[in-house]
Amino acid sequence: MRLERSARPAQWQATTLLTAVMAFSMLQLFLIGALGPRLVVEAGIPRSVLGWTTTAGFGVAAVLSLSAGRWVDRLGARRCVVAALALTATALALMGTSSGTVMLLAAVALGGLPQALANPATNKVILATVEPAARGPVIGWKQSGVQLGAFAAGLPLATLAVWTGWRGAVLTAAAIALLTAGWAIRALPPDPEQTTVAPEGDPPRARVGRLAAFSFLLGCGIAAVNTYLALFGTQHLGLVPLVAAWLVAVLGVTGIAGRVGWSRRAGRSERPESLLGLLAAGACVATALLAAAPLAPALVWAGAAAIGVFAVAGNAVSMLAVVRRADVRTAGRDSALVSAGFFAGFAVSPPVFGLLLESAGYVWGWALVAVEFAAASMVAAMRPNR
């Protein structure tokens, strides 16, 4: 699957495709966040249930990630990329046609499977097709695809929902995901007939475990912001639903810039993970801006932008740290373990935030997010023994 150095157009096509794969892998989360006000008003979804929709998707993703890496190592990256896109299209179609809370939760839960496949599959494609010196920028762009999904949910799809309703916007996203699956079949090189995997008993390294713990805490904070930021804008800052959805788009745009920029810097370092503590600390400051927004509403835009620059960028740097020292036999598994931590954070945090929101208000919810980012910074400062 390795490309020659001269095959730059093919490498750029692969980078663009992998970016799209990552955008679709978490699009449901961002659609629920951006369309949250419409789901509450038009579909009658209780606001506390918004957190449980996130839990349904990412709880499944966290559990399946424990084995998804081995699936990728055995079945091949191309097959798993195509499967992830097809499953995403199916999950979005079910979400767009759901008739109640239970069906909506089931559709989002199905979306957990492509979420589990996305990182190990795309990382394995990069290891096979991209020269080591170029992997930092490529991973930065690839991981920025998640934030491209946030931008798509917060601006074009949220705007489309004004004319077609939230169902029309979700079904449009499903159709585009299916078309992207067809593109992947044509663009990615075939998987080898046989794949080499690590022995079953080979344990993950302590460094991978530390990255998984960091990703769990980072995911906790990011998930709460993604799920409730637009609702916070409408209920406490007086923003109309469309403008509140733009907060998610701002987070998406700055997240792209943060992931690409910080990944480029990390790619020049022997220890990319050394930047993680700084990024988590910056996320704490961003959360403080959100908490202060009721006093000065303009701060919510600065806070959303800073969450993208610092918190969202942390996931790209952690993935680069995995790939930097990955054994080709265990690349899928190591990537999946770190993703499992990230997804577990997404599953756990929003319902807790929702409970705090109902009982104590947004101030305590933002305080929880700040504590989660501070704990991530502490984990990043630890050095594993091996």
Side-chain angles (χ1 to χ4, degrees):
M1 287 175 65
R2 182 171 296 280
L3 297 178
E4 297 296 329
R5 185 183 299 273
S6 60
R8 295 291 178 125
Q11 180 172 304
W12 275 109
Q13 179 178 223
T15 301
T16 304
L17 175 59
L18 297 181
T19 301
V21 172
M22 295 304 296
F24 281 112
S25 71
M26 290 176 62
L27 184 60
Q28 281 181 311
L29 166 72
F30 295 118
L31 281 171
I32 289 170
L35 302 177
R38 294 186 180 277
L39 290 171
V40 170
V41 174
E42 298 174 17
I45 303 295
R47 64 180 189 175
S48 60
V49 171
L50 292 181
W52 286 107
T53 60
T54 302
T55 298
F58 287 95
V60 171
V63 172
L64 292 181
S65 288
L66 300 176
S67 57
R70 293 193 182 276
W71 299 347
V72 174
D73 288 334
R74 285 182 170 84
L75 298 176
R78 179 175 180 261
R79 294 186 186 97
C80 290
V81 164
V82 173
L85 289 166
L87 286 165
T88 296
T90 303
L92 286 168
L94 289 174
M95 178 179 169
T97 57
S98 62
S99 57
T101 300
V102 174
M103 189 173 174
L104 178 65
L105 289 172
V108 176
L110 177 62
L113 182 53
Q115 290 165 25
L117 289 172
N119 265 315
T122 53
N123 282 353
K124 201 165 180 91
V125 169
I126 289 172
L127 277 172
T129 62
V130 180
E131 295 294 329
R135 287 173 186 167
V138 172
I139 288 176
W141 280 110
K142 189 263 289 188
Q143 293 298 128
S144 75
V146 175
Q147 300 318 120
L148 180 62
F151 174 79
L155 190 60
L157 290 174
T159 303
L160 181 63
V162 174
W163 291 284
T164 66
W166 69 271
R167 294 182 188 276
V170 173
L171 291 174
T172 297
I176 298 173
L178 193 59
L179 292 173
T180 307
W183 177 23
I185 293 172
R186 295 176 59 86
L188 294 180
D191 293 313
E193 290 300 320
Q194 294 182 342
T195 56
T196 303
V197 298
E200 290 289 336
D202 186 26
R205 291 170 293 174
R207 187 176 65 89
V208 175
R210 181 175 68 110
L211 289 172
F214 170 85
S215 296
F216 169 75
L217 294 164
L218 188 75
C220 283
I222 295 174
V225 175
N226 284 340
T227 305
Y228 284 100
L229 181 58
L231 198 62
F232 173 66
T234 58
Q235 293 186 335
H236 279 257
L237 305 180
L239 302 178
V240 299
L242 179 59
V243 175
W246 293 348
L247 287 169
V248 181
V250 167
L251 189 155
V253 171
T254 58
I256 293 171
R259 285 188 164 182
V260 173
W262 286 108
S263 292
R264 285 184 181 276
R265 179 173 174 181
R268 296 191 292 267
S269 172
E270 289 298 319
R271 294 184 64 252
E273 58 267 36
S274 63
L275 293 175
L276 294 177
L278 171 64
L279 296 178
C284 289
V285 176
T287 307
L289 294 175
L290 295 179
L295 302 177
L299 290 178
V300 74
W301 299 97
I307 289 289
V309 169
F310 293 103
V312 171
N315 181 246
V317 174
S318 66
M319 279 297 154
L320 177 60
V322 172
V323 172
R324 172 61 63 85
R325 297 180 179 89
D327 183 329
V328 69
R329 301 175 305 164
T330 64
R333 187 194 64 180
D334 289 353
S335 299
L337 286 174
V338 175
S339 294
F342 194 60
F343 295 149
F346 270 83
V348 169
S349 181
V352 177
F353 189 100
L355 290 174
L356 282 174
L357 174 59
E358 296 294 345
S359 61
Y362 279 101
V363 171
W364 286 101
W366 296 134
L368 172 66
V369 172
V371 168
E372 290 163 348
F373 286 142
S377 183
M378 294 175 63
V379 169
M382 300 177 183
R383 287 205 171 202
N385 294 326
R386 61 186 178 95

